[in-house]
Amino acid sequence: MKSRHVVRHAADMQLEVPPGYEERSSGFRGWTAVDTDDAVHTGFAICELTPEGHIDRHVHSFEETFFVVDGEVQLETDEGIFLLRQGDYGLLTVGTPHRWRGSGDRPARWAQMLAPQPRSVDDTFFVVGQTRDTTPLLIDPRDPRTRSFGHIDPENMDASKQGQEFLARSASMRTALLVYSGITVKMMVDSDLGAELSTMFMVQYEPGGKAGAHDHPLEETYFILDGEVDATFDDTTYRLQAGDVAWAGVGCKHAFFNPGQQIVRWLETQAPQPPGRHSYRFARDWEYLKEAIAKE
């Protein structure tokens, strides 16, 4: 049976020019961590663009969400030119024309989630469009001109710093944290931001933080940013570190535990978007039912 999970370690990362981009970009490379060999709904990659590099204007037949891991890069859409920096994230809906340009003094890197999963190079189409020559906008969550983007810092995962004086905008569900069992979750990209095919959010585990075995009716990808975590997928446990990528398919039972004394933080994506109910199935709840039936 085909494995329902994948683990890719940062040490094995190989950045290459993606097929179809050889003549339409410069200074651009990527590492595809999850593709058709593994998943059904998910395409996940780490992208890199040099300061002098570019990717020509194009559109996709899939939804693209991204999170800037390091450096800075310019993104041009029909709504303007945006200067993206470490911690910025955003959404490019299906068919949105966009162009990437290098910036800063070192290569930029970003994580890229694609849903539905790209089928081939025929899912990306390079299109004609005039290059703008305007000052790029910085990402400001309160500015409606940057409505398809957001920003997150490690401090935003601190439950003690959610007062209005710490927030960049009025408190709302867009600024809310979900905190439980030593785990903190903050939504980034979802239907509220305009996504329809996937979600992207940040997860943080305190020392000793733990999520019991569970599965989903969807696919999840995990990109470790800080710290180390013990991740168990279908009874096999891996130690994941910064730069590692893991993927769990539909029905893959998985669990996480932070064994260290430092916080562990990762970027997580889901595709398709979770249903209104029953997006989590915890093994311990069904074990409880089995025990309860045995006592009847």
Side-chain angles (χ1 to χ4, degrees):
M1 183 178 104
K2 181 180 178 181
S3 175
R4 294 185 296 186
H5 74 274
V6 169
V7 172
R8 313 276 194 221
H9 293 291
D12 298 324
M13 180 171 63
Q14 295 184 350
L15 292 166
E16 301 174 334
V17 180
Y21 287 81
E22 297 89 346
E23 304 299 325
R24 306 310 299 260
S25 68
S26 68
F28 173 55
R29 299 186 300 166
W31 176 49
T32 300
V34 181
D35 61 11
T36 54
D37 290 338
D38 315 306
V40 175
H41 298 281
T42 303
F44 192 89
I46 305 301
C47 300
E48 180 181 275
L49 187 63
T50 61
E52 302 80 17
H54 78 278
I55 305 174
D56 288 348
R57 182 181 174 89
H58 60 285
V59 300
H60 301 298
S61 67
F62 45 80
E63 187 173 87
E64 177 179 353
T65 59
F66 58 85
F67 171 74
V68 180
V69 180
D70 190 38
E72 62 181 44
V73 62
Q74 293 185 29
L75 175 62
E76 179 183 340
T77 72
D78 288 344
E79 294 185 335
I81 302 176
F82 306 95
L83 181 61
L84 307 173
R85 296 173 171 174
Q86 183 178 7
D88 288 341
Y89 60 86
L91 165 71
L92 294 165
T93 57
V94 175
T96 296
H98 58 287
R99 174 189 286 115
W100 297 89
R101 306 181 196 169
S103 185
D105 57 5
R106 67 181 189 273
R109 280 196 179 181
W110 65 92
Q112 178 186 73
M113 167 66 181
L114 312 174
Q117 183 185 85
R119 295 165 299 186
S120 68
V121 294
D122 293 331
D123 285 326
T124 294
F125 305 85
F126 290 92
V127 296
V128 176
Q130 185 175 359
T131 301
R132 299 174 182 227
D133 189 19
T134 59
T135 302
L137 289 171
L138 296 176
I139 301 306
D140 180 353
R142 303 184 70 178
D143 188 334
R145 293 173 297 175
T146 60
R147 60 187 175 181
S148 297
F149 307 95
H151 181 85
I152 189 168
D153 287 319
E155 305 88 74
N156 300 136
M157 303 298 290
D158 188 338
S160 68
K161 295 183 178 180
Q162 299 306 304
Q164 188 63 68
E165 67 275 18
F166 296 109
L167 299 175
R169 51 185 164 167
S170 300
S172 70
M173 290 307 295
R174 292 299 307 168
T175 61
L177 288 181
L178 176 62
V179 181
Y180 65 101
S181 185
I183 305 169
T184 304
V185 178
K186 186 176 180 65
M187 183 56 63
M188 296 160 59
V189 179
D190 60 3
S191 57
D192 189 51
L193 199 69
E196 297 186 29
L197 301 168
S198 63
T199 64
M200 176 179 284
F201 49 98
M202 194 67 68
V203 177
Q204 177 174 292
Y205 277 46
E206 301 290 333
K210 179 179 182 179
H214 62 283
D215 68 330
H216 308 283
L218 47 84
E219 299 176 352
E220 287 190 326
T221 305
Y222 321 89
F223 175 45
I224 311 302
L225 299 172
D226 299 297
E228 300 182 355
V229 63
D230 286 341
T232 301
F233 300 104
D234 282 339
D235 300 322
T236 301
T237 300
Y238 305 84
R239 175 65 57 87
L240 301 181
Q241 303 175 324
D244 293 345
V245 175
W247 170 85
V250 174
C252 173
K253 187 170 64 176
H254 53 283
F256 299 97
F257 174 64
N258 180 1
Q261 298 303 308
Q262 304 297 320
I263 286 173
V264 60
R265 190 169 56 97
W266 68 76
L267 183 73
E268 186 165 332
T269 68
Q270 296 176 327
Q273 287 190 1
R277 296 183 64 192
H278 307 303
S279 61
Y280 284 76
R281 180 169 57 180
F282 280 94
R284 64 178 295 189
D285 295 336
W286 294 95
E287 289 297 325
Y288 172 83
L289 176 60
K290 182 190 298 184
E291 295 172 2
I293 293 174
K295 295 177 182 179
E296 292 180 352

